Amino acid sequence: MPRGKSFFTRAVHAGERASQPDFKPVSTPIYQTVGYLYEDLKDLDQIFGNEREGYVYARYGSPTNAALEEALANLEEGEAALTFGSGMAAVYACLLAAGIQNGRSLLMAQDVYGATYAIGARLLPKMGVEVEFVDVTNLEELARALARVRPAAILLETISNPLMKVADIPRITQMAHLNGAKVIVDNTFATPFLFRPIQHGVDFSVHSTTKYIGGHGDVLGGVVISSKENRATLHEIIKMTGGNLGPMDAWLTLRGLKTLPLRMRQHCQNALEVARWLSSNPRILKVNYSGLPDHPQHDLAQRLFPEGRFGGMISFEIKDAGRDEIFRFMEALELILPATTLGDVYSLTLYPAMSSHRALTPEERGKIGIHDNLVRLAVGIEEASEIIEDLDRALGKL
Ligand SMILES: Cc1ncc(COP(=O)(O)O)c(C=O)c1O
């Protein structure tokens, strides 16, 4: 900016739009800009018209988000990915892209994250969508529901929140496709380290990247991995409705992603140790963890996931406990934090009836099996023996 220009003009433009560098930054820069400029307006015109790739406006995409999308599509072995400002924005966009609209129907796993359940139970019915909840671990019931409802799509979780049921995604995908239904899998708990839904024919693999992918409890986000064609449909939706992940948050997520395998290795190892300890503890009524031989889908989990790895999420029921005892137990924990999230480096505990599944009525929770003595534990990457020590001490206070 020539120094002869006014102070006002220089304050706005000085230092901006430096000439193209001949160096390359090692890590992806944060493109903290809303608009993009081209030498020739014809370029902008072609990008708006989808005739060439590029960037015009941050709601349409950004190079930082594109780097994260490329990395996530690569790790999940899908063709393409699109990032969102939160996991729920990604789930909702998926439903629209899968053809959920007035007059169509949706099958939803009955044991899913509370906000997802609420979309199915409360939001979609108001919009003229018929929603039926099914136990996706009962394949006979599922086959009957598919034939009867003829849904546009089915939505389920690889490892369910909060009961840790494991779904036979390859088989369910086959069944759904035979009935003309698209398949949406929330792969948040499994992460691409354990399972890659697209490899099994799933149409949309969705994650709350807020969890294991970001991994540090400092950034909200979501992603959908799918075919290029489905990504184009999702892109049209995000261009209209927004819900984008900001470039700074995309950068933080990309930074977290780099250590996903290291963290997941430790999460899985720690969770197995903690689950074994809990299941041998007389104060515990039931442990939900697919790495335990008595878990109803233990064999399936062994087939679907890499050897000896079952994820970092556990839930368990405490004997003779209700809300008051659970609160006392959670308050007595010192290392394990009572925070409403999961998938972080920290060990975190949550009371589903109060938080993640609060949107459900007590009857809905009871029907699914989310009882008032159920605690969810996201096992972190600390030393396993110290996580166990903390649990032991807090259980001792009951
Ligand atoms: C399995 C699952 N899916 C989706 C979500 C929603 O993600 P977000 O909070 O990023 O919107 C959550 C949040 O806890 C979750 O546990």
Side-chain angles (χ1 to χ4, degrees), residues 109-112 117 133 161-163 165 357 360-371:
Q110 62 181 15
D111 172 23
V112 285
Y117 187 93
F133 291 92
N161 184 0
L163 295 173
K165 292 182 182 175
H357 290 72
L360 279 67
T361 62
E363 293 71 39
E364 283 170 336
R365 283 198 295 271
K367 210 167 123 202
I368 298 164
I370 304 170
H371 303 301

Side-chain angles (χ1 to χ4, degrees), residues 86-88 113 157 161 186 188-189 208 210-211 220-221 342:
S86 105
M88 289 321 299
Y113 173 56
E157 296 175 351
N161 184 0
D186 184 331
T188 300
F189 279 22
S208 164
T210 314
K211 315 300 177 192
L220 207 66
L342 65 105

Side-chain angles (χ1 to χ4, degrees), residues 90-267:
V91 167
Y92 188 61
C94 264
L95 288 166
L96 297 182
I100 295 301
Q101 57 180 321
N102 190 351
R104 297 304 309 266
S105 49
L106 170 74
L107 275 191
M108 188 182 272
Q110 62 181 15
D111 172 23
V112 285
Y113 173 56
T116 307
Y117 187 93
I119 290 182
R122 298 190 231 306
L123 185 62
L124 292 178
K126 279 192 215 153
M127 296 159 68
V129 179
E130 185 200 340
V131 182
E132 187 161 319
F133 291 92
V134 277
D135 177 358
V136 292
T137 62
N138 181 339
L139 294 183
E140 281 168 21
E141 187 193 320
L142 180 65
R144 279 194 298 274
L146 279 167
R148 189 180 63 254
V149 177
R150 289 272 156 193
I154 174 166
L155 187 157
L156 68 160
E157 296 175 351
T158 312
I159 302 174
S160 73
N161 184 0
L163 295 173
M164 313 307 155
K165 292 182 182 175
V166 179
D168 190 346
I169 307 273
R171 184 87 190 82
I172 293 170
T173 303
Q174 263 180 359
M175 290 165 64
H177 284 168
L178 280 174
N179 284 276
K182 295 259 168 60
V183 181
I184 304 168
V185 167
D186 184 331
N187 199 35
T188 300
F189 279 22
T191 83
F193 182 73
L194 288 192
F195 190 70
R196 294 173 283 283
I198 301 292
Q199 285 189 314
H200 299 278
V202 165
D203 301 284
F204 301 91
S205 172
V206 51
H207 290 263
S208 164
T209 57
T210 314
K211 315 300 177 192
Y212 290 101
I213 287 174
H216 296 75
D218 51 13
V219 59
L220 207 66
V223 68
V224 182
I225 297 115
S226 60
S227 63
K228 283 187 181 151
E229 195 186 341
N230 285 334
R231 194 220 186 249
T233 307
L234 288 161
H235 192 228
E236 288 307 312
I237 292 170
I238 203 169
K239 273 162 61 182
M240 287 185 272
T241 61
N244 302 69
L245 183 72
M248 174 77 192
D249 288 352
W251 182 85
L252 273 172
T253 309
L254 183 59
R255 180 184 162 119
L257 179 66
K258 295 181 191 311
T259 54
L260 178 72
L262 302 179
R263 288 183 282 108
M264 281 308 289
R265 211 158 53 187
Q266 181 83 350
H267 282 298

Side-chain angles (χ1 to χ4, degrees), residues 26-87:
V26 173
S27 95
T28 302
I30 305 166
Y31 286 88
Q32 195 68 40
T33 179
V34 169
Y36 295 83
L37 299 172
Y38 292 85
E39 293 296 328
D40 195 327
L41 273 182
K42 271 199 215 111
D43 289 313
L44 208 56
D45 185 44
Q46 285 175 348
I47 299 164
F48 271 118
N50 292 328
E51 291 156 37
R52 62 155 280 197
E53 298 211 345
Y55 302 97
V56 289
Y57 185 64
R59 180 155 40 78
Y60 291 34
S62 107
T64 317
N65 293 54
L68 174 62
E69 287 162 1
E70 168 68 31
L72 287 166
N74 184 313
L75 289 182
E76 282 230 348
E77 297 174 31
E79 275 182 8
L82 186 66
T83 47
F84 289 83
S86 105

